[in-house]
Structure formats: structure tokens, C-alpha cells
Amino acid sequence: MAHPAVNGGGDNGVPMILTDPDVFVCCGCRDTLTIPIYECSKGHVILCSPCCNKHGYKCPFCSMFIGDKRCRAIEAVMESMKTVCCYAKHGCNAIVRYSEKRDHEKTCTFVPCLCPQPRCDWISNSNELGQHFKVKHFYKRIPFKYGEFFYVSLRRDTTTRVLQAVSDGKLFVISNDKREKKNSLILFHVGPNSWIPKFDYEVRATSDGAVLLPQTFVETTQGLKFEFSLLSFLHIPIEMWPCNGQIKLQFLITTVSGADKVVSEENNDQNGRPKRIRNRPVGLNDFYP
Ligand SMILES: [Zn+2]
Ligand SMILES: [Zn+2]
Ligand SMILES: [Zn+2]
Ligand SMILES: [Zn+2]
């Protein structure tokens, strides 16, 4: 596909069409070149700096030594060119130097995310995804407010429940992995993978026993291929599930800034909500005092 490219020479800039974007692709990793760019002594291969390291400064095609021979002409062309982000169709308006395109796209907040509702294949940036979910799956979502406890009923064989923050529409997914003797739960925020976590959460399973997770960062994912982190699981043994197969979970999601946190010295605060207990170790022993 042709990428529109714009000459970066201020008022003298000339719009151009790049018919073969492969000329600015690294021969080693097939990603967009970043400066510095190197060529082998035969001059027929161009490589980005990480690939020079990876290939031991030898051309992957002719094995000639690459050394420190920079490909200045290509560098100058790339420095002078600007282009749109590959997520432009998902709402990103950024015009970036061609040489900085790769870095921008790695951290672009318009990265498309998959709708977490099972059997829905809607993909959009995370802000639009929030609006989509509110309109299309209104009755499937569980609305909540940051810093306030709320309850979620979960069946043992329900694989996902979607939570939506009332204030900013952000989506969170409770992923429920049913095993023979326990269920393992984890909470994800739906957003670009490059996002640094901005939320923490606590969850309490209420039954005969109870357990709290220590204060935990919410991991972020763009899709439904969750990478389960052993540290932030809530394991609920089969003995704890009520006879009707439905357990009541108490959640608290806070923004890391802490502005929304509920703070109280008593077991319950003035509004009758359970107070936060931080950094309590968690384990199956919590169920068998
Ligand atoms: Zn490379
Ligand atoms: Zn070569
Ligand atoms: Zn972008
Ligand atoms: Zn959807």
C-alpha cells in the first residue's frame, strides 16, 4: 500500500506519494528504518542500528563487513519526509518524521483494540470502543465509579464480564478461567499495550471465607489474548462457590493518582463501605483459617 509522505521543508514542502514503502524498510527486521542507517561495503543492503548489532555487523545477505558506513543519503531523505501514523484511520492525526514513525506507532494511543464482548468483532481506538460498548452492549456492561466499591455476580463458567467506568467510559474485563478445582480471576483494562498501568484494584470474593488481593496494578491489553500474570490472580477454590454456582465479588478500582481512593480508619467507612486493606498477603490458606 502506498503511504502518503510529505516533504518536511516548511513552506517549500511538496506532497509526494511513496509508491514503494519497502525502500525505507530495514533488510534485517523488515520494520521502518530508524536513523542511524548502515549499509554493507557492497552498498546493497541497508540496516537499522539494532539489526547491525544482531547480525554482528555483517551483511545478512553477502556477509560483508558493515562497519560504521552510514547510509547518509537515505538518512537525509528520511529526515526530510513526514508521514501519517498507520493508525490514522482509527483517529490519530499525528504527522511524524518518517524516521520517527516506528517509535510513534509503538506508543500511539489510537492503537485499535478489540471489543471485549464475546462474538463481537468491533475494533477501534479505546475511546471509541468505550462509546461503542455503551451503545451496543448497554445491558452487558457493569457500570462503576472509580474509588467506590461495587458488586459483580459471577457464575463459575462465565468466561468474561465487562466493567465500564462511568466517568471516562474506559473498559475493564474480568477474565474467569475455570479449572477442575478452582477458578482463576484477573482484571484487565482494555487499551493500547504500550500504556503504563494507571489503575489499581482490589477484589474480595464473598462466601463462607473471604480473600483480598493486595493492591494490584491493572494490566492493559488491546485484545482478548490475555497474558495471565501469576502475581495478580485471584484463585477461588471450588469449595468456595455457593451451591447456585454464582459468587458475589466485591471490587474497588482506583486511578493510580489516588484522588478517588476511599480512606477510612474503621472497618467500614461513613458510607458503610468496607475500608481498603493494603498489601495483605494472599493465598489459598486464607480460606482455611
Ligand atoms: Zn532492522
Ligand atoms: Zn551485503
Ligand atoms: Zn498515531
Ligand atoms: Zn462490541
Side-chain angles (χ1 to χ4, degrees):
M1 195 189 91
H3 290 213
V6 184
N7 182 299
D11 291 342
N12 298 322
V14 179
M16 297 168 74
I17 300 291
L18 186 60
T19 56
D20 181 11
D22 272 5
V23 295
F24 297 119
V25 161
C26 169
C27 297
C29 61
R30 306 303 299 167
D31 210 338
T32 306
L33 282 163
T34 53
I35 293 172
I37 300 164
Y38 296 91
E39 62 182 10
C40 80
S41 51
K42 285 191 177 175
H44 70 285
V45 165
I46 48 178
L47 283 170
C48 68
S49 166
C51 283
C52 276
N53 270 324
K54 191 175 152 197
H55 293 283
Y57 288 83
K58 282 191 173 171
C59 171
F61 297 96
C62 69
S63 296
M64 294 292 283
F65 189 57
I66 294 173
D68 56 359
K69 193 176 176 201
R70 298 267 292 268
C71 204
R72 303 277 182 190
I74 296 280
E75 286 183 6
V77 171
M78 287 192 69
E79 275 291 278
S80 73
M81 285 172 40
K82 290 184 177 176
T83 185
V84 295
C85 168
C86 73
Y87 304 119
K89 69 177 179 186
H90 293 289
C92 181
N93 293 323
I95 304 286
V96 293
R97 284 188 191 284
Y98 209 91
S99 56
E100 293 161 3
K101 177 177 159 68
R102 195 200 305 193
D103 286 345
H104 166 83
E105 288 167 358
K106 274 183 189 157
T107 56
C108 179
T109 56
F110 290 86
V111 172
C113 303
L114 180 63
C115 176
Q117 181 62 30
R119 290 179 293 285
C120 178
D121 55 4
W122 175 273
I123 291 176
S124 66
N125 72 59
S126 56
N127 283 337
E128 284 179 7
L129 187 59
Q131 292 162 20
H132 157 84
F133 208 92
K134 194 174 175 183
V135 172
K136 291 285 178 188
H137 312 296
F138 187 83
Y139 295 106
K140 298 285 185 187
R141 71 198 186 113
I142 299 168
F144 73 93
K145 291 180 180 168
Y146 294 120
E148 293 188 12
F149 282 95
F150 61 97
Y151 289 94
V152 175
S153 289
L154 190 72
R155 300 192 66 81
R156 203 167 169 243
D157 53 3
T158 299
T159 54
T160 52
R161 293 302 306 269
V162 180
L163 319 175
Q164 186 162 38
V166 172
S167 58
D168 58 12
K170 289 195 189 312
L171 296 174
F172 295 78
V173 177
I174 304 168
S175 184
N176 179 21
D177 187 28
K178 182 183 172 187
R179 301 281 169 90
E180 193 182 341
K181 296 204 165 139
K182 67 179 182 190
N183 279 49
S184 299
L185 266 60
I186 196 161
L187 183 73
F188 288 94
H189 163 239
V190 182
N193 288 342
S194 61
W195 277 20
I196 297 163
K198 293 187 178 69
F199 313 96
D200 59 33
Y201 76 103
E202 293 173 4
V203 54
R204 181 206 297 257
T206 53
S207 183
D208 293 339
V211 65
L212 278 180
L213 270 185
Q215 190 170 334
T216 309
F217 282 123
V218 180
E219 296 177 40
T220 293
T221 178
Q222 290 164 208
L224 290 173
K225 297 234 178 285
F226 299 132
E227 297 286 332
F228 275 54
S229 151
L230 287 172
L231 291 174
S232 46
F233 271 124
L234 173 64
H235 299 292
I236 307 177
I238 192 165
E239 298 86 351
M240 198 176 166
W241 289 82
C243 302
N244 65 3
Q246 191 155 310
I247 203 164
K248 207 171 178 187
L249 301 168
Q250 188 182 44
F251 272 88
L252 175 69
I253 300 176
T254 49
T255 54
V256 166
S257 69
D260 298 318
K261 283 177 184 170
V262 175
V263 177
S264 168
E265 295 305 315
E266 304 299 326
N267 283 339
N268 290 304
D269 68 13
Q270 290 166 339
N271 299 319
R273 298 180 196 119
K275 82 166 194 178
R276 302 191 63 182
I277 300 171
R278 294 186 175 82
N279 299 324
R280 181 164 176 257
V282 62
L284 290 180
N285 287 341
D286 289 357
F287 295 98
Y288 309 107

